Amino acid sequence: MRKIIHIDMDAFYASVEQRDFPEYRGKPLVVGGSPNSRGVVATASYEARQYGIRSAMPCSMAAKLCPQVLFVPPRFDAYKAVSIQIRDIFRRYTDFIEPLSLDEAYLDVTTDKLGIGYAMDIARQIKEAIHEELLLTASAGISINKFVAKIASDMNKPDGLTFIGPSRVERFMEGLPVEKFFGVGKVTAAKMKQLQLFTGADLKRLTEADLVRLFGKSGRFYYRIVRGIDDRPVQPDRERKSLAVEDTFSKDLIHMDAMEEELGKIASKLASRLKKSQLKGRTFTLKIRFADFRLITRSHSLPYYTDDSEEMLAIARQFLQLVVAQDPMPIRLLGISVSNFDNIPLTPSQLKLF
């Protein structure tokens, strides 16, 4: 039986800012945009969360909820440096580390380097090392699989340590609200509740065929996980699946010239990041958020790999022109992402989109 730990740093960006700048300590703090911008909250300190401020909330709303909240721009280089230090601590105990982001990761400690043997003790030591060496706190969830460990790490934040052992897993899953299940967003949760499915126990009463009929391929996952079955391994060398650059504008874009100018900046920045990461991709996606908050995406896959800004800009521009011709609504956000990576460039053929 596997021993899985999920480590999740507490209010990571905000906590790093409060650690590095004493004047922020004990005060409601938002890392993200400014109250007069179209930006959103990247992370809110726990002092800010007491006012109802949450990640992904518009900064303007955060300012209304807490007029005295402090806004600071993100320092991603600083957060990345701290993330590397955290992973160095993880490596003292195991090489089976699957980072999910800068501030969270799965660890498989079924066999640990130090021969400690007990996942709870390992998690406790990791938390102590993070606190003593980096002056930050983390929450840890421990269980027999990734899904339950991740849920457990969120149960007693901040500075939590939660163990859900083998004998408790199935009962725990039965009592879990459906909105806590992987892949269950607001729309799916609402659908489930309309069907009188409120907890894992309710899902468990349905057959696998019923769940697939109602929820597609995710139904198979629900059927297994509510029974405590999650065979996904911790993947130490999890490959980056995509890379994206986007920008939210202080004023909605109305004219095509302004839109194309912003797209050019985004494509240039994305190309720079691809080259820095020594990656080439062949699937490019344009992301558009309108002034009324509707979001659309348009994707195209090339027959070869590239990191060229002009090529990705050509794809994005053609999609943009088509979208705007069909829907001239002002635009508040544009973004370009690339996926389907390969390090080996192939011979380009003529670019044809349509």
Side-chain angles (χ1 to χ4, degrees):
M1 190 170 291
R2 291 183 298 170
K3 302 173 185 176
I4 308 296
I5 301 173
H6 179 259
I7 300 285
D8 190 9
M9 299 300 295
D10 298 323
F12 183 51
Y13 298 169
S15 295
V16 172
E17 296 298 334
Q18 290 179 321
R19 181 196 69 175
D20 293 350
F21 300 96
E23 61 268 29
Y24 297 153
R25 294 173 192 168
K27 297 179 180 179
L29 179 77
V30 161
V31 177
S34 66
N36 299 319
S37 74
R38 294 293 188 95
V40 297
V41 175
T43 304
S45 69
Y46 282 96
E47 294 87 353
R49 295 182 191 192
Q50 293 176 5
Y51 293 87
I53 298 173
R54 296 289 182 268
S55 298
M57 174 182 289
C59 289
S60 56
M61 184 180 295
K64 290 178 181 178
L65 290 172
C66 179
Q68 69 270 32
V69 69
L70 301 174
F71 289 87
V72 299
R75 297 183 299 134
F76 289 110
D77 287 344
Y79 310 147
K80 186 174 180 179
V82 176
S83 181
I84 291 171
Q85 293 176 303
I86 294 167
R87 289 177 197 174
D88 286 342
I89 292 173
F90 294 163
R91 290 190 187 95
R92 299 172 191 172
Y93 300 89
T94 180
D95 291 324
F96 291 92
I97 304 163
E98 180 181 339
L100 301 178
S101 61
L102 292 178
D103 63 340
E104 62 174 319
Y106 290 114
L107 287 68
D108 188 330
V109 295
T110 307
T111 302
D112 67 279
K113 287 181 176 180
L114 302 181
I116 296 170
Y118 295 99
M120 275 286 284
D121 290 343
I122 296 169
R124 187 178 290 108
Q125 289 186 26
I126 289 173
K127 280 167 48 64
E128 289 173 356
I130 290 171
H131 186 255
E132 292 172 5
E133 298 172 30
L134 306 179
L135 304 179
L136 298 168
T137 65
S139 293
I142 306 100
S143 193
I144 60 173
N145 61 50
K146 291 165 71 171
F147 184 93
V148 181
K150 184 172 173 62
I151 296 294
S153 69
D154 195 45
M155 290 179 65
N156 294 300
K157 275 185 162 289
D159 201 20
L161 181 65
T162 305
F163 171 65
I164 300 175
S167 62
R168 291 180 54 207
V169 166
E170 197 162 348
R171 186 181 303 172
F172 171 77
M173 295 305 303
E174 289 175 357
L176 196 68
V178 292
E179 55 267 26
K180 293 288 188 179
F181 276 72
F182 174 80
V184 176
K186 291 182 179 179
V187 174
T188 303
K191 178 180 178 180
M192 287 182 171
K193 290 174 181 179
Q194 286 178 346
L195 296 168
Q196 301 300 302
L197 302 172
F198 300 100
T199 66
D202 297 327
L203 291 175
K204 197 172 182 180
R205 286 196 289 268
L206 298 180
T207 66
E208 184 174 7
D210 287 336
L211 288 169
V212 171
R213 176 175 54 80
L214 292 169
F215 305 108
K217 62 181 181 182
S218 294
R220 294 191 178 91
F221 181 80
Y222 303 150
Y223 181 83
R224 291 172 60 81
I225 197 60
V226 78
R227 291 163 172 80
I229 303 169
D230 179 11
D231 297 326
R232 294 174 300 156
V234 170
Q235 298 175 318
D237 299 314
R238 207 168 69 105
E239 295 181 357
R240 182 191 290 273
K241 299 293 177 63
S242 66
L243 191 64
V245 173
E246 61 184 48
D247 194 8
T248 301
F249 310 113
S250 56
K251 293 184 179 180
D252 295 334
L253 302 183
I254 300 173
H255 302 293
M256 179 59 69
D257 288 348
M259 297 175 192
E260 291 189 350
E261 181 181 351
E262 294 299 335
L263 268 187
K265 296 176 185 177
I266 291 168
S268 178
K269 190 177 295 185
L270 181 57
S272 176
R273 291 185 182 179
L274 284 169
K275 290 179 171 66
K276 186 176 180 180
S277 302
Q278 296 183 319
L279 292 170
K280 295 176 184 286
R282 68 182 190 89
T283 298
F284 295 88
T285 300
L286 173 68
K287 178 180 178 180
I288 301 175
R289 188 180 294 279
F290 294 106
D292 61 1
F293 288 89
R294 284 182 298 118
L295 177 67
I296 67 168
T297 59
R298 297 291 185 268
S299 297
H300 178 74
S301 293
L302 297 172
Y304 56 89
Y305 299 94
T306 183
D307 59 4
D308 184 76
S309 63
E310 291 301 319
E311 288 191 285
M312 63 182 78
L313 178 59
I315 295 171
R317 183 186 289 126
Q318 291 195 44
F319 279 137
L320 177 66
Q321 291 170 350
L322 282 175
V323 169
V324 171
Q326 296 169 356
D327 190 343
M329 171 74 68
I331 289 173
R332 61 178 282 126
L333 176 149
L334 287 171
I336 304 173
S337 65
V338 59
S339 55
N340 282 340
F341 292 125
D342 194 300
N343 290 4
I344 304 173
L346 304 178
T347 302
S349 60
Q350 186 176 1
L351 179 62
K352 294 181 179 179
L353 295 182
F354 311 103

